[in-house]
Amino acid sequence: MSSFVTKFYNCRLLRDHELVDDDLWVSDSKIIDPEKYFFRSKRLADLTIDCQGTIISPGFIDVQINGGFGIDFSYDISDVERGVLKVAKGILAHGVTSFCPTLVSSRPQVYHKVLPYLRKRNGGNYGAEILGAHVEGPFINPEKKGAHDDKVLVIPYEGMKSVEEIYGNLDCIAMTTIAPELPQALEVIQKLTDRGIIVSLGHSTASIAEGEKGVWSGASFITHLFNAMLPFHHRDPGLVGLLASDQIPKDRTLFYGIIADGNHTHPATTRIARRANKEGVVLVTDACSAMGLIDGVHHIGQQVVEIQETKAVIQGTNTLCGSVATMISCVHYYWKTTGKL
């Protein structure tokens, strides 16, 4: 049976960081070379679509998103499947085609119930692809808990035994955030990395030396750079200093998340990060349940969230707790403030 071929024409394509005018041919969800296809099959496209000058580009990936459209993955656990699919569908309209549903620090019973629904699965018209869960905590430093509930934070005194007791099955986890200075954290980082789980450093008071040890143990990411970590200091720049460290493996790119929403980072700090390590920047939304909704009261985990225009804070405080930004708005803001992508 021959494959179904679609030709998109009158469009602009992203190639080598430039927009070019060209056609795009797709066969069974794969981009094909139209000349090779024609000479091999002697057929034209089965369907042609006039894009009217719009852009066709790869979809965005969001590796830190707590929810959206009224759903919080750590709070709305009565019907997890419905909530996950609602967010997966909703973010397609904002250009996101794959994501890591993110759970903030929670009690073990939340992980045990929710994680099986966050397993890796393909996307389609019904919603974005799920890459597996990002478990942000609970193995984080209480001094840098941010919006996390300090009553559920855990020190991994027993290494991987502590991790497995808290999370249960690890098969649905793609990424985890951990503070490298905690007891037994380096052992946990190494063993999680050995299992193919991406380890990110964050919610931490780590010095640059402790951060470097975390990277040598396998960590390859920093969670929402500048937020929930020690501020940059000229004698000990902390986790921020990892962007320019010469004491980490030379053959590894250290990635870092940036919440480019105009609230979590000043434009100057965003530009500094890019100039220090442009290869490692990863835009994330860190979106909470209020993303896509109007001002009001919402949740992130067990915390009550109040939306003040473009800012999400723990009710009654000024503590930021995620964002209400969409990925396309983050891309626009990052481009506006740095002039680069």
Side-chain angles (χ1 to χ4, degrees):
M1 181 178 179
S2 59
S3 58
F4 189 87
V5 175
T6 304
K7 173 189 174 182
F8 298 89
Y9 69 99
N10 190 19
C11 55
R12 293 187 292 165
L13 307 179
L14 183 63
R15 286 184 184 152
D16 298 325
H17 305 285
E18 299 287 343
L19 287 174
V20 298
D21 296 320
D22 203 349
D23 300 335
L24 183 72
W25 291 59
V26 176
S27 173
D28 294 338
S29 301
K30 293 183 180 180
I31 297 172
I32 62 172
D33 184 326
E35 292 185 3
K36 291 181 179 178
Y37 167 76
F38 178 77
F39 287 113
R40 183 179 66 249
S41 65
K42 301 297 188 292
R43 290 176 53 210
L44 298 175
D46 300 294
L47 174 67
T48 58
I49 298 176
D50 184 354
C51 297
Q52 301 180 348
T54 54
I55 298 170
I56 297 181
S57 72
F60 300 130
I61 302 171
D62 195 350
V63 299
Q64 188 174 7
I65 172 172
N66 308 290
F69 313 102
I71 299 297
D72 180 86
F73 300 128
S74 307
Y75 179 78
D76 298 294
I77 63 173
S78 59
D79 189 351
V80 180
E81 181 74 2
R82 181 191 68 83
V84 171
L85 292 178
K86 183 176 182 179
V87 175
K89 178 69 173 181
I91 58 179
L92 281 179
H94 301 282
V96 177
T97 53
S98 56
F99 71 115
C100 290
T102 303
L103 300 178
V104 296
S105 298
S106 302
R107 300 187 185 281
Q109 55 265 37
V110 173
Y111 295 114
H112 296 174
K113 179 171 184 179
V114 176
L115 281 175
Y117 294 96
L118 307 186
R119 66 191 181 280
K120 181 176 175 59
R121 60 178 109 169
N122 293 331
N125 293 334
Y126 50 85
E129 177 183 5
I130 297 175
L131 301 172
H134 177 175
V135 283
E136 185 187 359
F139 306 105
I140 61 176
N141 195 312
E143 294 182 37
K144 290 295 179 181
K145 64 183 177 66
H148 291 234
D149 183 356
D150 55 6
K151 295 189 293 295
V152 302
L153 303 186
V154 178
I155 305 297
Y157 287 115
E158 297 186 83
M160 282 300 293
K161 181 180 179 182
S162 299
V163 172
E164 290 167 347
E165 287 177 351
I166 293 294
Y167 294 147
N169 192 329
L170 305 182
D171 292 343
C172 298
I173 298 175
M175 186 173 184
T176 183
T177 293
I178 189 169
E181 71 275 14
L182 297 181
Q184 307 305 315
L186 298 181
E187 172 201 333
V188 169
I189 291 171
Q190 181 177 352
K191 291 185 176 180
L192 287 174
T193 302
D194 290 343
R195 293 188 62 146
I197 295 173
I198 296 170
V199 176
S200 183
L201 308 179
H203 285 277
S204 166
T205 62
S207 64
I208 187 171
E210 290 169 322
E212 289 165 346
K213 290 179 181 178
V215 176
W216 277 104
S217 296
S220 57
F221 204 95
I222 304 174
T223 296
H224 44 49
L225 189 72
F226 300 116
N227 291 274
M229 60 187 63
L230 292 178
F232 183 90
H233 189 278
H234 60 286
R235 293 196 183 95
D236 190 338
L239 293 183
V240 176
L242 293 177
L243 271 63
S245 174
D246 61 358
Q247 299 299 311
I248 58 178
K250 307 294 184 185
D251 60 346
R252 189 187 311 166
T253 299
L254 181 65
F255 296 96
Y256 58 94
I258 287 283
I259 309 171
D261 66 344
N263 295 314
H264 282 82
T265 53
H266 189 279
T269 58
T270 304
R271 288 191 290 270
I272 289 170
R274 188 184 186 283
R275 290 169 186 172
N277 186 342
K278 65 181 180 181
E279 292 81 11
V281 64
V282 176
L283 297 184
V284 299
T285 63
D286 197 21
C288 68
S289 61
M291 187 262 286
L293 302 178
I294 60 175
D295 291 0
V297 175
H298 305 275
H299 288 86
I300 183 167
Q302 301 305 308
Q303 302 279 37
V304 179
V305 177
E306 184 177 353
I307 305 304
Q308 302 171 354
E309 297 181 349
T310 64
K311 188 181 296 184
V313 298
I314 296 178
Q315 191 175 47
T317 77
N318 292 317
T319 301
L320 291 173
C321 52
S323 81
V324 294
T326 62
M327 182 58 79
I328 189 64
S329 70
C330 289
V331 171
H332 286 163
Y333 184 82
Y334 187 80
W335 175 267
K336 176 182 176 181
T337 55
T338 68
K340 301 288 184 180
L341 280 177

